[in-house]
Amino acid sequence: MSDCLFCRIAARQSPAEIVYEDDAVVAFKDIYPKAPVHLLIVPRRHIASLTDARDDDANTLGRCVLVARRLAEATGYSERGFRLSVNTGPEGGQVVYHVHFHFTAGRRQRADA
Ligand code: 5GP
Ligand code: ZN
C-alpha cells in the first residue's frame, strides 16, 4: 500500500467523501473544511508537488482544473465564484505532498489567502 495519503484515497484504500472521479482525477471533501464548500482535486498519478510536475503532466493538471469547473456547476457556485489554489512547498503551506487543488466556495475569499 502506498504511504501517500492522497494516493490511498484515490485508490479507495483510505476513506474520504469522494464527490467526483474519472480515470485521471479524483475530488473529495477536505476533512477540515476552511470554507462552506472545501473540496480537494487530485490527479490519480502521484506528483509530489507542482515543483515536481513534468511537461507531460500538463494534460493531467489541466484536467484537474477543468474538474473545478464541473464542481462549481455541481455545487451551484459557477456564477458566484470560487477559489482554486495549490499550496506548494514549505513556505507555500503545503502539508500533503501529493499535488492537490483546493476548491473553496461559499463566502467571499480574501484577496491574499
Ligand atoms: P495542504 O496544506 O497540503 O495544501 O492541504 C492539505 C489538506 O488536506 C488540508 O486542507 C487538510 O485539511 C486536508 N487533509 C489532511 N488529511 C486529510 C484526510 O485524511 N482526509 C481528507 N479528506 N483531507 C485531509
Ligand atoms: Zn500520492
Side-chain angles (χ1 to χ4, degrees):
M1 190 186 276
S2 170
D3 61 3
C4 169
L5 173 63
F6 289 174
C7 280
R8 288 201 309 272
I9 287 175
R12 291 186 177 270
Q13 292 169 340
S14 286
E17 282 194 63
I18 293 178
V19 296
Y20 174 84
E21 63 182 325
D22 62 30
D23 61 307
V25 180
V26 179
F28 50 92
K29 293 185 181 178
D30 195 293
I31 202 167
Y32 303 119
K34 292 159 196 76
V37 178
H38 190 170
L39 306 172
L40 300 173
I41 304 168
V42 309
R44 283 192 189 277
R45 178 139 48 99
H46 181 84
I47 303 168
S49 158
L50 267 191
T51 54
D52 296 299
R54 305 181 311 236
D55 288 351
D56 65 1
D57 291 319
N59 185 57
T60 303
L61 294 172
R63 285 179 64 176
C64 289
V65 173
L66 291 177
V67 167
R69 181 201 62 197
R70 184 188 284 262
L71 294 175
E73 291 164 357
T75 55
Y77 283 96
S78 294
E79 297 298 322
R80 278 179 283 175
F82 58 91
R83 171 165 294 172
L84 196 62
S85 55
V86 185
N87 297 332
T88 304
E91 294 195 7
Q94 185 174 8
V95 173
V96 177
Y97 277 78
H98 177 131
V99 164
H100 50 281
F101 294 75
H102 292 262
F103 176 102
T104 50
R107 63 161 183 246
R108 187 170 292 277
Q109 308 282 312
R110 278 169 48 209
D112 62 345

